[in-house]
Amino acid sequence: MTLKQLVYFLAVADTGRFVQAAGEVGIAQPTLSRQIQSLEDDLGETLFTRGRDHVTLTAAGETLLPLARRIVADVETARLEIAELAGLRRGRLRVGATPSLCVGVLADVLAVFHASYPAISLQIREGGSQDLVTDLEDGQLDLALVIHRRDRAPAGDGPLRLTPVLREELVAISAAGGQAGLDETLGDHAGIVELARHPLVVHRPGYELREVVLSACAAAGVTPRIAVEGGEMDAVLRMVERGLGVAIVPSLVLTGRHGLHTTRLDGSGWTHRTIALAHRTDVAPTRAAEAFRETLLAVLARTSRTGGLPPGVRFIHS
């Protein structure tokens, strides 16, 4: 098994066609086919089911897929880390963050980081916390700002190391002025039982907030009335502004959203959440990743001291 064979395998798996995969990796299709056949012979398993116009992964191929992605990603990271020995004059940093952080805190940190290390290529991936954890574990990200849930392994255990950096408040939002969709206008405080009487707008699977809302309803013994589900953060905010229902979101995303009414949540445990910087424990962070971590903590500490963090958000790193 060679690295090139794994790269070819991933190209075929991603495109579903040998001809297209050959074009993407820059070799002739017969050469690609021979390399895949050699890989299958080496493993003693067929990796693809060949159809007339399309190929699909076999059970063995499905097993190899996440391992191949991680191996190829780690090799690329190693190459970049060696290049960084020149002193952060070149390299790449892949950072993941939830949408609530991308529109606020992360942009400020990236601006400071880029000013200090302009030759480092920045790749940002926005997504739900669960999706980002998967990408991080698969070697597709170097760092990620994710939600640190109490029911997960504590920081320092397991495949990821989590460094708590922020604690943010969750709030309920509704359309300002009591637009259509609500039985009555939400007040300044509400519990989950009251919220469940209104139609809810919930995020797509992969968002921690979706689990938080549904789990809180289940714990309270109430069945939510879901009006709309499956949206990204910005879509959820816009749907609530249009009066389709209420939603639970981090207070961080509400800056400048004048069409929304904010209601603080009554309850304990689920009404706040911790944001942590995560990286894999089986791979040493690159110098660019270490520099980003230092920049992140410095920017957050300075912003906290000057009172610049949004309402409901506080810096918690010691």
Side-chain angles (χ1 to χ4, degrees):
M1 183 189 306
T2 67
L3 180 63
K4 283 187 177 180
Q5 288 175 336
L6 293 179
V7 171
Y8 299 158
F9 164 76
L10 290 176
V12 176
D14 290 339
T15 62
R17 291 176 171 80
F18 276 82
V19 173
Q20 186 176 346
E24 291 201 358
V25 297
I27 62 174
Q29 187 270 325
T31 302
L32 176 68
S33 297
R34 286 195 297 272
Q35 288 293 326
I36 296 297
Q37 183 63 59
S38 176
L39 177 61
E40 291 177 324
D41 292 343
D42 185 41
L43 295 173
E45 295 285 348
T46 300
L47 300 174
F48 296 102
T49 299
R50 277 89 165 160
R52 186 167 186 173
D53 299 316
H54 194 76
V55 297
T56 57
L57 290 166
T58 64
E62 293 283 2
T63 300
L64 178 61
L65 184 62
L67 300 174
R69 289 198 193 282
R70 181 176 299 180
I71 291 169
V72 172
D74 287 349
V75 169
E76 178 62 18
T77 297
R79 286 174 175 165
L80 290 170
E81 178 68 359
I82 297 300
E84 287 178 4
L85 293 177
L88 289 174
R89 290 195 294 270
R90 54 183 172 175
R92 174 203 65 189
L93 180 66
R94 302 165 301 169
V95 180
T98 60
S100 60
L101 293 169
C102 283
V103 298
V105 171
L106 183 61
D108 294 337
V109 175
L110 291 174
V112 175
F113 181 85
H114 180 67
S116 300
Y117 308 104
I120 300 297
S121 172
L122 294 171
Q123 299 176 12
I124 308 303
R125 183 168 302 178
E126 181 180 357
S129 190
Q130 296 172 16
D131 296 335
L132 295 176
V133 166
T134 298
D135 290 340
L136 194 58
E137 292 176 341
D138 288 345
Q140 303 304 304
L141 293 172
D142 301 306
L143 296 166
L145 286 160
V146 300
I147 308 307
H148 181 19
R149 284 175 43 174
R150 293 181 300 170
D151 58 347
R152 286 194 179 129
D157 292 349
L160 299 180
R161 181 177 299 278
L162 302 175
T163 303
V165 293
L166 292 173
R167 183 168 172 80
E168 64 177 351
E169 182 181 10
L170 299 180
V171 296
I173 56 171
S174 55
Q179 296 181 27
L182 300 185
D183 298 330
E184 59 186 34
T185 301
L186 288 176
D188 293 331
H189 288 79
I192 191 64
V193 174
E194 179 182 350
L195 289 176
R197 292 199 293 266
H198 302 292
L200 297 179
V201 179
V202 298
H203 299 77
R204 66 167 175 80
Y207 273 74
E208 290 285 343
L209 282 173
R210 179 189 177 92
E211 284 192 15
V212 166
V213 174
L214 298 182
S215 296
C217 288
V222 295
T223 301
R225 291 193 290 134
I226 298 177
V228 185
E229 63 178 324
E232 302 281 351
M233 180 63 71
D234 190 61
V236 168
L237 296 174
R238 290 182 180 275
M239 290 174 193
V240 174
E241 286 176 335
R242 298 298 186 272
L244 292 174
V246 303
I248 295 175
V249 300
S251 59
L252 188 64
V253 304
L254 299 180
T255 302
R257 292 278 181 173
H258 303 299
L260 295 170
H261 173 74
T262 301
T263 299
R264 301 193 70 178
L265 298 171
D266 296 328
S268 60
W270 70 278
T271 60
H272 290 77
R273 65 183 189 177
T274 299
I275 297 169
L277 182 66
H279 67 83
R280 284 167 53 190
T281 56
D282 61 336
V283 176
T286 65
R287 294 184 67 192
E290 289 286 6
F292 179 84
R293 178 182 182 276
E294 294 173 1
T295 302
L296 172 74
L297 296 177
V299 170
L300 292 180
R302 182 173 64 251
T303 306
S304 177
R305 287 194 304 269
T306 58
L309 289 177
V313 181
R314 61 187 179 92
F315 181 55
I316 60 173
H317 185 73
S318 57

mmCIF file with all atom_site columns, all heavy atoms in Angstrom, residues 150-168:
data_model
loop_
_atom_site.group_PDB
_atom_site.id
_atom_site.type_symbol
_atom_site.label_atom_id
_atom_site.label_alt_id
_atom_site.label_comp_id
_atom_site.label_asym_id
_atom_site.label_entity_id
_atom_site.label_seq_id
_atom_site.pdbx_PDB_ins_code
_atom_site.Cartn_x
_atom_site.Cartn_y
_atom_site.Cartn_z
_atom_site.occupancy
_atom_site.B_iso_or_equiv
_atom_site.pdbx_formal_charge
_atom_site.auth_seq_id
_atom_site.auth_comp_id
_atom_site.auth_asym_id
_atom_site.auth_atom_id
_atom_site.pdbx_PDB_model_num
ATOM 1   N N   . ARG A 1 150 ? -21.044 18.596 28.786 1.00 0.00 ? 150 ARG A N   1
ATOM 2   C CA  . ARG A 1 150 ? -20.644 17.964 30.046 1.00 0.00 ? 150 ARG A CA  1
ATOM 3   C C   . ARG A 1 150 ? -20.719 16.447 29.991 1.00 0.00 ? 150 ARG A C   1
ATOM 4   O O   . ARG A 1 150 ? -20.056 15.756 30.759 1.00 0.00 ? 150 ARG A O   1
ATOM 5   C CB  . ARG A 1 150 ? -21.541 18.470 31.184 1.00 0.00 ? 150 ARG A CB  1
ATOM 6   C CG  . ARG A 1 150 ? -21.347 19.944 31.502 1.00 0.00 ? 150 ARG A CG  1
ATOM 7   C CD  . ARG A 1 150 ? -22.241 20.371 32.639 1.00 0.00 ? 150 ARG A CD  1
ATOM 8   N NE  . ARG A 1 150 ? -23.642 20.175 32.302 1.00 0.00 ? 150 ARG A NE  1
ATOM 9   C CZ  . ARG A 1 150 ? -24.641 20.287 33.174 1.00 0.00 ? 150 ARG A CZ  1
ATOM 10  N NH1 . ARG A 1 150 ? -24.382 20.596 34.427 1.00 0.00 ? 150 ARG A NH1 1
ATOM 11  N NH2 . ARG A 1 150 ? -25.898 20.111 32.799 1.00 0.00 ? 150 ARG A NH2 1
ATOM 12  N N   . ASP A 1 151 ? -21.543 15.896 29.082 1.00 0.00 ? 151 ASP A N   1
ATOM 13  C CA  . ASP A 1 151 ? -21.668 14.441 29.010 1.00 0.00 ? 151 ASP A CA  1
ATOM 14  C C   . ASP A 1 151 ? -20.601 13.806 28.139 1.00 0.00 ? 151 ASP A C   1
ATOM 15  O O   . ASP A 1 151 ? -20.587 12.597 27.956 1.00 0.00 ? 151 ASP A O   1
ATOM 16  C CB  . ASP A 1 151 ? -23.053 14.042 28.497 1.00 0.00 ? 151 ASP A CB  1
ATOM 17  C CG  . ASP A 1 151 ? -23.359 14.620 27.119 1.00 0.00 ? 151 ASP A CG  1
ATOM 18  O OD1 . ASP A 1 151 ? -22.615 15.520 26.671 1.00 0.00 ? 151 ASP A OD1 1
ATOM 19  O OD2 . ASP A 1 151 ? -24.348 14.190 26.517 1.00 0.00 ? 151 ASP A OD2 1
ATOM 20  N N   . ARG A 1 152 ? -19.671 14.652 27.604 1.00 0.00 ? 152 ARG A N   1
ATOM 21  C CA  . ARG A 1 152 ? -18.547 14.105 26.843 1.00 0.00 ? 152 ARG A CA  1
ATOM 22  C C   . ARG A 1 152 ? -17.354 13.905 27.758 1.00 0.00 ? 152 ARG A C   1
ATOM 23  O O   . ARG A 1 152 ? -17.309 14.387 28.887 1.00 0.00 ? 152 ARG A O   1
ATOM 24  C CB  . ARG A 1 152 ? -18.170 15.050 25.707 1.00 0.00 ? 152 ARG A CB  1
ATOM 25  C CG  . ARG A 1 152 ? -19.178 15.022 24.556 1.00 0.00 ? 152 ARG A CG  1
ATOM 26  C CD  . ARG A 1 152 ? -18.565 15.692 23.352 1.00 0.00 ? 152 ARG A CD  1
ATOM 27  N NE  . ARG A 1 152 ? -19.523 15.647 22.246 1.00 0.00 ? 152 ARG A NE  1
ATOM 28  C CZ  . ARG A 1 152 ? -19.872 16.688 21.538 1.00 0.00 ? 152 ARG A CZ  1
ATOM 29  N NH1 . ARG A 1 152 ? -19.360 17.873 21.806 1.00 0.00 ? 152 ARG A NH1 1
ATOM 30  N NH2 . ARG A 1 152 ? -20.743 16.590 20.553 1.00 0.00 ? 152 ARG A NH2 1
ATOM 31  N N   . ALA A 1 153 ? -16.334 13.228 27.241 1.00 0.00 ? 153 ALA A N   1
ATOM 32  C CA  . ALA A 1 153 ? -15.125 13.000 28.032 1.00 0.00 ? 153 ALA A CA  1
ATOM 33  C C   . ALA A 1 153 ? -14.512 14.331 28.438 1.00 0.00 ? 153 ALA A C   1
ATOM 34  O O   . ALA A 1 153 ? -14.561 15.300 27.682 1.00 0.00 ? 153 ALA A O   1
ATOM 35  C CB  . ALA A 1 153 ? -14.113 12.195 27.213 1.00 0.00 ? 153 ALA A CB  1
ATOM 36  N N   . PRO A 1 154 ? -13.952 14.439 29.638 1.00 0.00 ? 154 PRO A N   1
ATOM 37  C CA  . PRO A 1 154 ? -13.360 15.698 30.073 1.00 0.00 ? 154 PRO A CA  1
ATOM 38  C C   . PRO A 1 154 ? -12.174 16.089 29.219 1.00 0.00 ? 154 PRO A C   1
ATOM 39  O O   . PRO A 1 154 ? -11.598 15.274 28.515 1.00 0.00 ? 154 PRO A O   1
ATOM 40  C CB  . PRO A 1 154 ? -12.916 15.387 31.513 1.00 0.00 ? 154 PRO A CB  1
ATOM 41  C CG  . PRO A 1 154 ? -12.770 13.908 31.558 1.00 0.00 ? 154 PRO A CG  1
ATOM 42  C CD  . PRO A 1 154 ? -13.800 13.368 30.626 1.00 0.00 ? 154 PRO A CD  1
ATOM 43  N N   . ALA A 1 155 ? -11.831 17.377 29.263 1.00 0.00 ? 155 ALA A N   1
ATOM 44  C CA  . ALA A 1 155 ? -10.714 17.883 28.466 1.00 0.00 ? 155 ALA A CA  1
ATOM 45  C C   . ALA A 1 155 ? -9.452  17.084 28.745 1.00 0.00 ? 155 ALA A C   1
ATOM 46  O O   . ALA A 1 155 ? -9.108  16.819 29.892 1.00 0.00 ? 155 ALA A O   1
ATOM 47  C CB  . ALA A 1 155 ? -10.484 19.365 28.788 1.00 0.00 ? 155 ALA A CB  1
ATOM 48  N N   . GLY A 1 156 ? -8.782  16.671 27.687 1.00 0.00 ? 156 GLY A N   1
ATOM 49  C CA  . GLY A 1 156 ? -7.536  15.933 27.848 1.00 0.00 ? 156 GLY A CA  1
ATOM 50  C C   . GLY A 1 156 ? -7.695  14.438 27.677 1.00 0.00 ? 156 GLY A C   1
ATOM 51  O O   . GLY A 1 156 ? -6.720  13.722 27.519 1.00 0.00 ? 156 GLY A O   1
ATOM 52  N N   . ASP A 1 157 ? -8.945  13.922 27.713 1.00 0.00 ? 157 ASP A N   1
ATOM 53  C CA  . ASP A 1 157 ? -9.180  12.501 27.536 1.00 0.00 ? 157 ASP A CA  1
ATOM 54  C C   . ASP A 1 157 ? -9.709  12.239 26.135 1.00 0.00 ? 157 ASP A C   1
ATOM 55  O O   . ASP A 1 157 ? -10.325 13.095 25.513 1.00 0.00 ? 157 ASP A O   1
ATOM 56  C CB  . ASP A 1 157 ? -10.191 11.987 28.563 1.00 0.00 ? 157 ASP A CB  1
ATOM 57  C CG  . ASP A 1 157 ? -9.639  12.023 29.978 1.00 0.00 ? 157 ASP A CG  1
ATOM 58  O OD1 . ASP A 1 157 ? -8.427  12.243 30.106 1.00 0.00 ? 157 ASP A OD1 1
ATOM 59  O OD2 . ASP A 1 157 ? -10.412 11.840 30.928 1.00 0.00 ? 157 ASP A OD2 1
ATOM 60  N N   . GLY A 1 158 ? -9.511  10.988 25.666 1.00 0.00 ? 158 GLY A N   1
ATOM 61  C CA  . GLY A 1 158 ? -10.062 10.608 24.391 1.00 0.00 ? 158 GLY A CA  1
ATOM 62  C C   . GLY A 1 158 ? -9.255  11.147 23.227 1.00 0.00 ? 158 GLY A C   1
ATOM 63  O O   . GLY A 1 158 ? -8.134  11.621 23.381 1.00 0.00 ? 158 GLY A O   1
ATOM 64  N N   . PRO A 1 159 ? -9.847  11.087 22.013 1.00 0.00 ? 159 PRO A N   1
ATOM 65  C CA  . PRO A 1 159 ? -9.102  11.465 20.805 1.00 0.00 ? 159 PRO A CA  1
ATOM 66  C C   . PRO A 1 159 ? -8.885  12.964 20.661 1.00 0.00 ? 159 PRO A C   1
ATOM 67  O O   . PRO A 1 159 ? -8.075  13.379 19.854 1.00 0.00 ? 159 PRO A O   1
ATOM 68  C CB  . PRO A 1 159 ? -9.992  10.940 19.674 1.00 0.00 ? 159 PRO A CB  1
ATOM 69  C CG  . PRO A 1 159 ? -11.374 10.950 20.258 1.00 0.00 ? 159 PRO A CG  1
ATOM 70  C CD  . PRO A 1 159 ? -11.202 10.596 21.704 1.00 0.00 ? 159 PRO A CD  1
ATOM 71  N N   . LEU A 1 160 ? -9.620  13.779 21.424 1.00 0.00 ? 160 LEU A N   1
ATOM 72  C CA  . LEU A 1 160 ? -9.500  15.228 21.304 1.00 0.00 ? 160 LEU A CA  1
ATOM 73  C C   . LEU A 1 160 ? -9.139  15.862 22.645 1.00 0.00 ? 160 LEU A C   1
ATOM 74  O O   . LEU A 1 160 ? -9.568  15.393 23.698 1.00 0.00 ? 160 LEU A O   1
ATOM 75  C CB  . LEU A 1 160 ? -10.812 15.845 20.818 1.00 0.00 ? 160 LEU A CB  1
ATOM 76  C CG  . LEU A 1 160 ? -11.342 15.403 19.452 1.00 0.00 ? 160 LEU A CG  1
ATOM 77  C CD1 . LEU A 1 160 ? -12.636 16.132 19.149 1.00 0.00 ? 160 LEU A CD1 1
ATOM 78  C CD2 . LEU A 1 160 ? -10.314 15.627 18.363 1.00 0.00 ? 160 LEU A CD2 1
ATOM 79  N N   . ARG A 1 161 ? -8.357  16.925 22.576 1.00 0.00 ? 161 ARG A N   1
ATOM 80  C CA  . ARG A 1 161 ? -8.097  17.748 23.755 1.00 0.00 ? 161 ARG A CA  1
ATOM 81  C C   . ARG A 1 161 ? -8.918  19.020 23.627 1.00 0.00 ? 161 ARG A C   1
ATOM 82  O O   . ARG A 1 161 ? -8.871  19.705 22.610 1.00 0.00 ? 161 ARG A O   1
ATOM 83  C CB  . ARG A 1 161 ? -6.620  18.098 23.885 1.00 0.00 ? 161 ARG A CB  1
ATOM 84  C CG  . ARG A 1 161 ? -6.313  18.940 25.133 1.00 0.00 ? 161 ARG A CG  1
ATOM 85  C CD  . ARG A 1 161 ? -4.831  19.207 25.258 1.00 0.00 ? 161 ARG A CD  1
ATOM 86  N NE  . ARG A 1 161 ? -4.072  17.974 25.388 1.00 0.00 ? 161 ARG A NE  1
ATOM 87  C CZ  . ARG A 1 161 ? -3.917  17.311 26.542 1.00 0.00 ? 161 ARG A CZ  1
ATOM 88  N NH1 . ARG A 1 161 ? -4.471  17.782 27.647 1.00 0.00 ? 161 ARG A NH1 1
ATOM 89  N NH2 . ARG A 1 161 ? -3.220  16.208 26.579 1.00 0.00 ? 161 ARG A NH2 1
ATOM 90  N N   . LEU A 1 162 ? -9.685  19.342 24.658 1.00 0.00 ? 162 LEU A N   1
ATOM 91  C CA  . LEU A 1 162 ? -10.578 20.493 24.645 1.00 0.00 ? 162 LEU A CA  1
ATOM 92  C C   . LEU A 1 162 ? -10.101 21.531 25.651 1.00 0.00 ? 162 LEU A C   1
ATOM 93  O O   . LEU A 1 162 ? -9.931  21.220 26.835 1.00 0.00 ? 162 LEU A O   1
ATOM 94  C CB  . LEU A 1 162 ? -12.007 20.071 24.971 1.00 0.00 ? 162 LEU A CB  1
ATOM 95  C CG  . LEU A 1 162 ? -12.628 19.008 24.051 1.00 0.00 ? 162 LEU A CG  1
ATOM 96  C CD1 . LEU A 1 162 ? -13.993 18.591 24.568 1.00 0.00 ? 162 LEU A CD1 1
ATOM 97  C CD2 . LEU A 1 162 ? -12.751 19.534 22.637 1.00 0.00 ? 162 LEU A CD2 1
ATOM 98  N N   . THR A 1 163 ? -9.912  22.744 25.183 1.00 0.00 ? 163 THR A N   1
ATOM 99  C CA  . THR A 1 163 ? -9.515  23.853 26.043 1.00 0.00 ? 163 THR A CA  1
ATOM 100 C C   . THR A 1 163 ? -10.672 24.844 26.125 1.00 0.00 ? 163 THR A C   1
ATOM 101 O O   . THR A 1 163 ? -10.929 25.580 25.165 1.00 0.00 ? 163 THR A O   1
ATOM 102 C CB  . THR A 1 163 ? -8.265  24.567 25.488 1.00 0.00 ? 163 THR A CB  1
ATOM 103 O OG1 . THR A 1 163 ? -7.201  23.630 25.356 1.00 0.00 ? 163 THR A OG1 1
ATOM 104 C CG2 . THR A 1 163 ? -7.845  25.698 26.413 1.00 0.00 ? 163 THR A CG2 1
ATOM 105 N N   . PRO A 1 164 ? -11.427 24.876 27.233 1.00 0.00 ? 164 PRO A N   1
ATOM 106 C CA  . PRO A 1 164 ? -12.550 25.816 27.340 1.00 0.00 ? 164 PRO A CA  1
ATOM 107 C C   . PRO A 1 164 ? -12.068 27.259 27.238 1.00 0.00 ? 164 PRO A C   1
ATOM 108 O O   . PRO A 1 164 ? -11.075 27.640 27.855 1.00 0.00 ? 164 PRO A O   1
ATOM 109 C CB  . PRO A 1 164 ? -13.118 25.518 28.737 1.00 0.00 ? 164 PRO A CB  1
ATOM 110 C CG  . PRO A 1 164 ? -12.687 24.112 29.032 1.00 0.00 ? 164 PRO A CG  1
ATOM 111 C CD  . PRO A 1 164 ? -11.326 23.988 28.403 1.00 0.00 ? 164 PRO A CD  1
ATOM 112 N N   . VAL A 1 165 ? -12.784 28.068 26.442 1.00 0.00 ? 165 VAL A N   1
ATOM 113 C CA  . VAL A 1 165 ? -12.384 29.463 26.253 1.00 0.00 ? 165 VAL A CA  1
ATOM 114 C C   . VAL A 1 165 ? -13.523 30.457 26.501 1.00 0.00 ? 165 VAL A C   1
ATOM 115 O O   . VAL A 1 165 ? -13.282 31.589 26.934 1.00 0.00 ? 165 VAL A O   1
ATOM 116 C CB  . VAL A 1 165 ? -11.798 29.699 24.845 1.00 0.00 ? 165 VAL A CB  1
ATOM 117 C CG1 . VAL A 1 165 ? -10.473 28.971 24.690 1.00 0.00 ? 165 VAL A CG1 1
ATOM 118 C CG2 . VAL A 1 165 ? -12.781 29.275 23.751 1.00 0.00 ? 165 VAL A CG2 1
ATOM 119 N N   . LEU A 1 166 ? -14.752 30.067 26.216 1.00 0.00 ? 166 LEU A N   1
ATOM 120 C CA  . LEU A 1 166 ? -15.882 30.987 26.377 1.00 0.00 ? 166 LEU A CA  1
ATOM 121 C C   . LEU A 1 166 ? -17.072 30.254 26.991 1.00 0.00 ? 166 LEU A C   1
ATOM 122 O O   . LEU A 1 166 ? -17.236 29.044 26.800 1.00 0.00 ? 166 LEU A O   1
ATOM 123 C CB  . LEU A 1 166 ? -16.318 31.575 25.032 1.00 0.00 ? 166 LEU A CB  1
ATOM 124 C CG  . LEU A 1 166 ? -15.386 32.542 24.306 1.00 0.00 ? 166 LEU A CG  1
ATOM 125 C CD1 . LEU A 1 166 ? -15.941 32.858 22.926 1.00 0.00 ? 166 LEU A CD1 1
ATOM 126 C CD2 . LEU A 1 166 ? -15.187 33.819 25.111 1.00 0.00 ? 166 LEU A CD2 1
ATOM 127 N N   . ARG A 1 167 ? -17.871 31.011 27.706 1.00 0.00 ? 167 ARG A N   1
ATOM 128 C CA  . ARG A 1 167 ? -19.154 30.507 28.178 1.00 0.00 ? 167 ARG A CA  1
ATOM 129 C C   . ARG A 1 167 ? -20.214 31.479 27.676 1.00 0.00 ? 167 ARG A C   1
ATOM 130 O O   . ARG A 1 167 ? -20.114 32.688 27.891 1.00 0.00 ? 167 ARG A O   1
ATOM 131 C CB  . ARG A 1 167 ? -19.192 30.408 29.705 1.00 0.00 ? 167 ARG A CB  1
ATOM 132 C CG  . ARG A 1 167 ? -20.504 29.809 30.242 1.00 0.00 ? 167 ARG A CG  1
ATOM 133 C CD  . ARG A 1 167 ? -20.353 29.473 31.718 1.00 0.00 ? 167 ARG A CD  1
ATOM 134 N NE  . ARG A 1 167 ? -21.610 29.075 32.326 1.00 0.00 ? 167 ARG A NE  1
ATOM 135 C CZ  . ARG A 1 167 ? -22.159 27.873 32.227 1.00 0.00 ? 167 ARG A CZ  1
ATOM 136 N NH1 . ARG A 1 167 ? -21.539 26.945 31.509 1.00 0.00 ? 167 ARG A NH1 1
ATOM 137 N NH2 . ARG A 1 167 ? -23.295 27.588 32.822 1.00 0.00 ? 167 ARG A NH2 1
ATOM 138 N N   . GLU A 1 168 ? -21.222 30.950 26.989 1.00 0.00 ? 168 GLU A N   1
ATOM 139 C CA  . GLU A 1 168 ? -22.228 31.822 26.402 1.00 0.00 ? 168 GLU A CA  1
ATOM 140 C C   . GLU A 1 168 ? -23.633 31.413 26.831 1.00 0.00 ? 168 GLU A C   1
ATOM 141 O O   . GLU A 1 168 ? -23.908 30.244 27.113 1.00 0.00 ? 168 GLU A O   1
ATOM 142 C CB  . GLU A 1 168 ? -22.123 31.841 24.883 1.00 0.00 ? 168 GLU A CB  1
ATOM 143 C CG  . GLU A 1 168 ? -22.400 30.521 24.202 1.00 0.00 ? 168 GLU A CG  1
ATOM 144 C CD  . GLU A 1 168 ? -22.344 30.630 22.686 1.00 0.00 ? 168 GLU A CD  1
ATOM 145 O OE1 . GLU A 1 168 ? -22.261 31.755 22.167 1.00 0.00 ? 168 GLU A OE1 1
ATOM 146 O OE2 . GLU A 1 168 ? -22.390 29.577 22.020 1.00 0.00 ? 168 GLU A OE2 1
#
